[in-house]
Amino acid sequence: MPYFARLKLKDITGKNYQDALNDLKEQGYSDSTMSGINRTGRMIFRKALELELIKKDPTEFAYLKKDKKTVEQLEEEEIPKYLEKEELALFLRTAREQGLELDYLMFLILSYTGIRVGELVALKWKDVDFKNQTISITKTYYNPNNNTLEYQLVTPKTRKSRRKIIVDEEVINTLMKHKEVQNEVVEKLGDTYHNEDFIFAKIERQFGYPIVIKTVQNRMARLLRIAELNTELTPHSLRHTHTSLLAEAGVSLEQIMDRLGHSDDQITKNVYLHVTQEMKKEASHKFAQLMRSLRYKLHVNKMLTIHSHLT
């Protein structure tokens, strides 16, 4: 707005646009924020071009100045933080034993499916097939202001994001128990309950409305503190955790991508490669140990043979 509000679209030049990007960067905005600003700008001017409101797109040759990062920062970005399997077990046990209402089910599903938190809170009972033990992902939750009453359900970002995930029996059984409890609440509250079939629905004030994403984030932070685990982790970290455990279990990258609803994602690839490379190192180490053991046995047998000849 400060840069273009008083200008007509046709009067905005490539230099105007680039100067605006450079100025915003100098104000200290992060690379990710700048990327979002530029994406929005490009969408606006491309639409203007399509509608023939302008003859040339001023964003065509625009570029973003990037923060210069240290080697340590680059290495940290390459492999996102996630929970090891022992840590995940501790986290879920903490959620089950010390979690608030819905905590265990929320984090069990996130951990066992790798779905996004927006996909989680958008889940409805009709998305669950108890007989075939699947959960269908057909929508995601949108609510930038975290206002419970102003939520929107939108279609997933890509065609690949629409998917059906086979889940563990533990997930199905926990869902069944929750459904029984929720049915009692719905019956008790009657018309005061916003009955739109949401699995993760509020049971205090604004009854029946889906919980906001911020609630999931806050609940996870609380459990991480109690379990004395890395408090920098987020619900999205459980998606990376799921990737790492699938990789460790020998599931192919293609199958993992399909399960996560990715057509292509570099972070998922990085996690997968990191885990599989560690497994290869471990295999190499075990092989070397085996060979050392065999050499030792051969050496002992040889010494015993020599000793028997001498005696």
Side-chain angles (χ1 to χ4, degrees), residues 4 34 39 50 115 144 146 158 161 181 189 227 257 271 285 294:
F4 306 135
M34 290 302 303
R39 274 199 308 274
E50 179 191 323
I115 65 174
N146 284 317
T158 65
S161 295
V181 173
L189 294 174
M257 288 284 204
V271 173
H285 179 64
L294 287 172

Side-chain angles (χ1 to χ4, degrees), residues 116 194 200 239 247 262 299 301:
R116 301 171 179 91
H194 178 73
F200 296 99
R239 191 164 162 83
H262 279 320
H299 176 70
N301 289 338

Side-chain angles (χ1 to χ4, degrees), residues 17-268:
Y17 186 77
Q18 187 63 57
D19 287 346
L21 290 179
N22 293 347
D23 187 57
L24 285 167
K25 185 61 188 171
E26 285 172 15
Q27 290 179 43
Y29 287 102
S30 69
D31 287 348
S32 59
T33 300
M34 290 302 303
S35 181
I37 291 169
N38 188 39
R39 274 199 308 274
T40 306
R42 291 174 74 87
M43 285 166 59
I44 291 168
F45 286 104
R46 281 177 182 172
K47 191 66 180 177
L49 196 65
E50 179 191 323
L51 296 173
E52 298 182 349
L53 298 173
I54 56 175
K55 292 181 179 178
K56 190 177 179 183
D57 178 3
T59 72
E60 185 179 0
F61 301 108
Y63 62 91
L64 295 172
K65 290 182 177 179
K66 299 281 185 179
D67 293 327
K68 191 170 182 180
K69 295 176 181 174
T70 64
V71 172
E72 289 79 9
Q73 286 174 319
L74 289 170
E75 285 176 348
E76 282 179 9
E77 285 181 6
E78 283 175 9
I79 305 167
K81 294 179 175 68
Y82 56 83
L83 292 166
E84 299 293 344
K85 55 179 179 288
E86 295 83 7
E87 293 176 322
L88 178 61
L90 170 61
F91 176 72
L92 289 176
R93 186 168 73 246
T94 305
R96 187 174 62 244
E97 296 173 359
Q98 300 182 60
L100 304 174
E101 185 74 35
L102 297 176
D103 277 6
Y104 180 60
L105 180 59
M106 278 194 304
F107 297 117
L108 182 71
I109 290 178
L110 286 173
S111 305
Y112 278 44
T113 63
I115 65 174
R116 301 171 179 91
V117 67
E119 294 168 340
L120 175 89
V121 297
L123 283 176
K124 296 191 175 190
W125 287 112
K126 65 182 179 182
D127 300 321
V128 181
D129 184 336
F130 287 100
K131 183 180 177 182
N132 295 308
Q133 296 190 187
T134 63
I135 294 177
S136 295
I137 307 300
T138 60
K139 56 199 167 298
T140 192
Y141 178 90
Y142 180 69
N143 191 346
N145 299 319
N146 284 317
N147 184 321
T148 302
L149 303 179
E150 295 179 0
Y151 74 89
Q152 295 176 48
L153 298 181
V154 296
T155 54
K157 190 162 57 175
T158 65
R159 185 180 59 81
K160 273 274 188 181
S161 295
R162 293 176 63 94
R163 61 205 187 278
K164 189 174 286 188
I165 303 171
I166 298 171
V167 294
D168 185 77
E169 199 170 330
E170 168 75 3
V171 174
I172 293 296
N173 291 340
T174 309
L175 277 165
M176 282 179 171
K177 289 175 187 173
H178 172 53
K179 189 163 179 32
E180 289 173 9
V181 173
Q182 194 182 75
N183 286 344
E184 290 176 11
V185 173
V186 172
E187 190 175 341
K188 183 180 176 182
L189 294 174
D191 292 341
T192 59
Y193 189 90
H194 178 73
N195 198 352
E196 290 294 323
D197 201 38
F198 288 106
I199 295 175
F200 296 99
K202 294 189 68 171
I203 56 170
E204 292 178 0
R205 295 176 300 168
Q206 300 145 337
F207 306 108
Y209 281 86
I211 59 174
V212 298
I213 288 173
K214 189 71 177 172
T215 298
V216 185
Q217 294 168 341
N218 292 340
R219 297 280 190 92
M220 183 165 179
R222 173 184 174 271
L223 292 170
L224 289 170
R225 282 194 301 272
I226 294 171
E228 296 182 352
L229 292 166
N230 185 354
T231 53
E232 292 181 13
L233 295 169
T234 66
H236 199 76
S237 305
L238 295 175
R239 191 164 162 83
H240 302 316
T241 300
H242 190 66
T243 300
S244 73
L245 295 179
L246 288 176
E248 195 173 324
V251 179
S252 72
L253 178 59
E254 185 181 20
Q255 288 174 302
I256 293 172
M257 288 284 204
D258 185 63
R259 187 172 175 87
L260 295 181
H262 279 320
S263 52
D264 185 53
D265 182 76
Q266 192 57 47
I267 293 176
T268 300

